[in-house]
């Protein structure tokens, strides 16, 4: 039997919920700040001394803020989940290898012009705004950030990869013909009173782009699904409707994939929670209850500060945020595109032709915000000009050999702090986002090698990765077509 909590049910027709309009937004002026301080010793200390949280602290939810329309819970950084301290260099190498595959996946989605997630229509959910504890999954060998949720009735606790570049919601299921290792016991539908396999004739099956046929015979024919992630990773199984639990909120009849054959980069996680812009993502399935709005904070590396993932209009900042228009690519509606007009170094915009970042009418190019990519990728021509401008203002810093995908590195061993030029994103229409120094000069080992955390790409697609997003409140307002940065820090 379900414990006491807030119950969310599906309705056939979405109810229009009325919210106050957003305040008028004004563009920020370009920052006059030309340099800032990078605290080398503090950053090196946190990479070496990151310790694992006790199990009781990790799993006992601490509610930070609760009201009628909002549940805000702690975000735990990935370093706190590591089963051993490990070596920062090895962790970074593994992270960058996964990152290369992630970028290839995103580019393949656009080239193929196919939305590799459960797309189409389907039921929408009416729900009070809610949030859930989020942790990063890099130390567990998969994904970038995890959310801890319950699946089924009674809830079976699972870690799920949170992915803004995917719409699919799926979990490994028993009986499992091929499953990878995960942190929690496999989800068993037989122990869930709310599990409903989707029939072949259902609306969900007809609209799911991942549907691949039917299982069984006669009246017991169930809708199969398959999702491929372009790097050899995949999940196959049966579509189902199931209850998901976030803290004390129960969301009924969420369309999920029950995976019986799974392979890939998901070791540690039970599955994936897609929060992309497609019609079958969790955000879209929530419908009018969340009003297409959510907000997240990716906690800075090595800090004890909490981060969060929240759904609903109440999670959006009302003052002082920098808002930019969301752009839509009809070829891949999953991705969250923003208009970028240029890049800045030392408080001055670098000379890069604006069309290099433009999303074409054919769906090529453009700039995607992605939680699953770590390192920001820029077209080679833009990257080269950007990097050269940074190099020109850091001639006082000792250079180090290139490292993996990073071509610009510095030997900061023995330095306590260093002065570095500011780095900024110039968004279309005027807003400027100036990054903290630790979001663009990052340690790649334990001996003081720091690298400029951007990389070139031969494709026209630019990706703003999660390293650059750390510590900044990111808000998505799909209903009004806006993405916000700040004002809160994580």
């Amino acid at each position: 039997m379900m414990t006491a909590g807030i119950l969310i049910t599906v309705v056939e027709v979405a109810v229009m919920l009325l919210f106050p309009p957003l305040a008028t937004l004004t563009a920020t002026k370009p920052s006059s700040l030309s340099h800032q301080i990078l605290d080398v010793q503090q950053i090196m200390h946190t990479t070496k001394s990151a310790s694992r949280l006790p199990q009781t602290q990790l799993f006992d939810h601490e509610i930070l803020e609760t009201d009628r329309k909002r549940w805000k819970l702690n975000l735990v950084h990935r370093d706190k989940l590591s089963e051993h301290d490990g070596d920062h260099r090895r962790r970074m190498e593994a992270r960058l290898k996964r990152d290369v595959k992630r970028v290839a996946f995103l580019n393949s989605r656009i080239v193929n012009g196919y939305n590799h997630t459960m797309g189409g229509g389907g039921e929408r959910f009416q729900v009070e705004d809610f949030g859930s504890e989020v942790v990063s999954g890099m130390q567990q060998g998969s994904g970038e950030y995890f959310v801890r949720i319950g699946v089924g009735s009674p809830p079976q606790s699972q870690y799920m990869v949170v992915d803004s570049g995917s719409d699919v919601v799926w979990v490994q299921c028993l009986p499992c013909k091929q499953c990878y290792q995960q942190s929690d016991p496999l989800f068993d539908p037989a122990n869930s009173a709310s599990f409903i396999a989707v029939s072949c004739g259902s609306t969900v099956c007809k609209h799911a782009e991942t549907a691949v046929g039917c299982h069984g015979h006669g009246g017991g024919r169930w809708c199969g699904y398959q999702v491929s992630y372009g790097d050899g990773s995949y999940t196959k199984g049966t579509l189902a409707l199931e209850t998901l639990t976030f803290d004390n909120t129960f969301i009924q009849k969420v369309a999920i994939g029950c995976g019986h054959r799974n392979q890939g980069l998901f070791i540690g996680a039970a599955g994936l929670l897609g929060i992309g812009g497609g019609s079958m993502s969790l955000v879209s399935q929530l419908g009018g209850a969340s009003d297409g709005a959510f907000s997240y904070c990716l906690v800075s590396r090595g800090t004890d500060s909490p981060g969060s993932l929240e759904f609903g209009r109440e999670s959006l900042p009302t003052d002082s945020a920098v808002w930019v228009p969301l752009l839509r690519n009809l070829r891949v509606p999953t991705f969250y595109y923003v208009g970028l007009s240029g890049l800045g170094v030392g408080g001055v915009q670098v000379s890069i032709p604006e069309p290099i970042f433009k999303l074409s009418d054919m769906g090529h190019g453009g700039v995607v915000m992605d939680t699953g990519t770590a390192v920001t990728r820029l077209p080679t021509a833009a990257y080269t000009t950007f990097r050269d401008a940074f190099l020109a203002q850091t001639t006082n810093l000792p250079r180090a050999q290139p490292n993996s995908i990073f071509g610009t590195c510095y030997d900061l061993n023995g330095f306590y702090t260093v002065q570095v030029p500011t780095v900024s994103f110039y968004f279309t229409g005027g807003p400027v986002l100036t990054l903290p120094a630790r979001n663009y000069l990052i340690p790649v080992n334990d001996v003081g090698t720091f690298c400029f955390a951007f990389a070139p790409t031969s494709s026209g697609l630019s990706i703003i990765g999660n390293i650059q997003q750390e510590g900044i409140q990111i808000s998505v307002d799909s209903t009004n077509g806006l993405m916000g940065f700040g004002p809160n820090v994580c």
Side-chain angles (χ1 to χ4, degrees), residues 1 29 80 92 127 253 319 352 359 407 431 433 443 469 477:
M1 178 176 293
K29 296 180 179 180
K80 301 302 182 182
M92 180 59 71
V127 53
K253 296 184 179 178
D319 299 308
I352 299 173
L359 175 63
L433 176 65
Q469 298 178 45
D477 181 2

Side-chain angles (χ1 to χ4, degrees), residues 316-323 471-475 484-490:
L316 301 182
T318 56
D319 299 308
S320 303
V322 174
W323 290 94
I472 302 169
Q473 182 181 9
I474 309 293
S475 301
F485 299 90
N488 296 335
V489 294
C490 307

Side-chain angles (χ1 to χ4, degrees), residues 94-154:
R95 183 181 194 182
L96 295 179
K97 287 179 181 178
R98 287 188 290 268
D99 212 43
V100 170
K101 293 181 178 180
R102 171 70 176 191
V103 172
F105 160 62
L106 296 187
N107 277 288
S108 70
R109 292 273 300 275
I110 295 172
V111 170
N112 295 333
Y114 174 74
N115 190 5
H116 291 268
T117 60
M118 289 187 288
E123 293 86 355
R124 289 178 173 267
F125 299 87
Q126 299 303 313
V127 53
E128 293 293 320
D129 302 345
F130 68 94
S132 184
E133 177 180 349
V134 180
V135 296
S136 174
M138 286 304 296
Q139 298 296 350
Q140 301 209 14
S142 66
E144 282 287 294
Y145 293 89
F146 284 14
V147 61
R148 184 76 166 164
I149 67 172
V151 181
S153 305

